[in-house]
Amino acid sequence: MQKREKSFGIQMLSVQPDTKPKGCAGCNRKIKDRYLLKALDKYWHEDCLKCACCDCRLGEVGSTLYTKANLILCQRDYLRLFGVTGNCAACNKLIPAFEMVMRAKENVYHLDCFACQLCNQRFCVGDKFFLKNNMILCQTDYEEGLMKEGYAPQVR
């Protein structure tokens, strides 16, 4: 059975002056700083909770960390190492797992490829688009295609 990847939350906590210092899971020293991180049911110095690949401070890059194969990773490196890649429905080139994408039904697109495939008009947030025969179309090209096919919407 394959071990499933897991994501865990990261909490930043303020250290109360009247509490006994907690031990850091990363360096095993007592945490005497003003703040500490709690992740994986352990306490960490802010500098000790880092991505095993890029060494970024996980408390600074988000509120989630990922673990797999005994590694603690940021989201980007987790996806780079273990994420699923696929091909863009428009250009058919590979889309790395960590790259932002646009989706239309089961199709996935690079951000730059998410445009009308007839006139190349890029879509903005809120723009209508249509998926016809696995092609993304703007409203104008979609309606022109309907008129050519004899399915023009009737205006009353």
Side-chain angles (χ1 to χ4, degrees):
M1 186 166 100
Q2 187 176 2
K3 187 176 177 181
R4 301 268 318 172
E5 64 282 344
K6 299 208 178 188
S7 66
F8 295 92
I10 302 171
Q11 291 178 292
M12 179 174 275
L13 304 173
S14 180
V15 176
Q16 303 302 317
D18 56 342
T19 59
K20 182 179 173 187
K22 298 181 180 353
C24 175
C27 69
N28 295 320
R29 294 190 313 251
K30 297 289 182 197
I31 302 173
K32 298 177 184 176
D33 302 344
R34 185 173 177 190
Y35 298 101
L36 60 84
L37 298 175
K38 184 176 181 185
L40 304 170
D41 292 325
K42 298 175 184 172
Y43 297 97
W44 306 77
H45 288 106
E46 291 180 83
D47 286 337
C48 292
L49 187 58
K50 293 184 178 182
C51 175
C53 285
C54 70
D55 217 28
C56 71
R57 291 171 40 154
L58 292 171
E60 291 180 354
V61 296
S63 59
T64 306
L65 64 83
Y66 295 80
T67 63
K68 188 165 180 175
N70 293 324
L71 298 171
I72 296 175
L73 302 164
C74 66
Q75 182 180 26
R76 181 177 172 93
D77 283 326
Y78 170 78
L79 290 173
R80 185 175 57 80
L81 294 170
F82 302 110
V84 178
T85 59
N87 289 346
C88 175
C91 72
N92 207 30
K93 292 181 182 171
L94 189 68
I95 302 174
F98 59 84
E99 191 172 304
M100 296 288 287
V101 296
M102 294 298 292
R103 295 180 185 276
K105 294 196 177 188
E106 64 276 349
N107 296 335
V108 182
Y109 302 87
H110 293 106
L111 291 181
D112 288 340
C113 293
F114 195 69
C116 177
Q117 291 176 308
L118 291 180
C119 70
N120 294 320
Q121 173 190 334
R122 299 270 319 261
F123 296 110
C124 297
V125 175
D127 285 351
K128 268 189 178 179
F129 68 90
F130 298 85
L131 189 62
K132 185 171 183 196
N133 300 329
N134 267 342
M135 286 181 57
I136 307 171
L137 301 172
C138 66
Q139 187 165 1
T140 303
D141 286 330
Y142 176 75
E143 289 173 355
E144 284 180 11
L146 288 179
M147 283 193 243
K148 287 178 185 173
E149 294 171 5
Y151 298 114
Q154 298 199 358
V155 180
R156 295 179 188 211

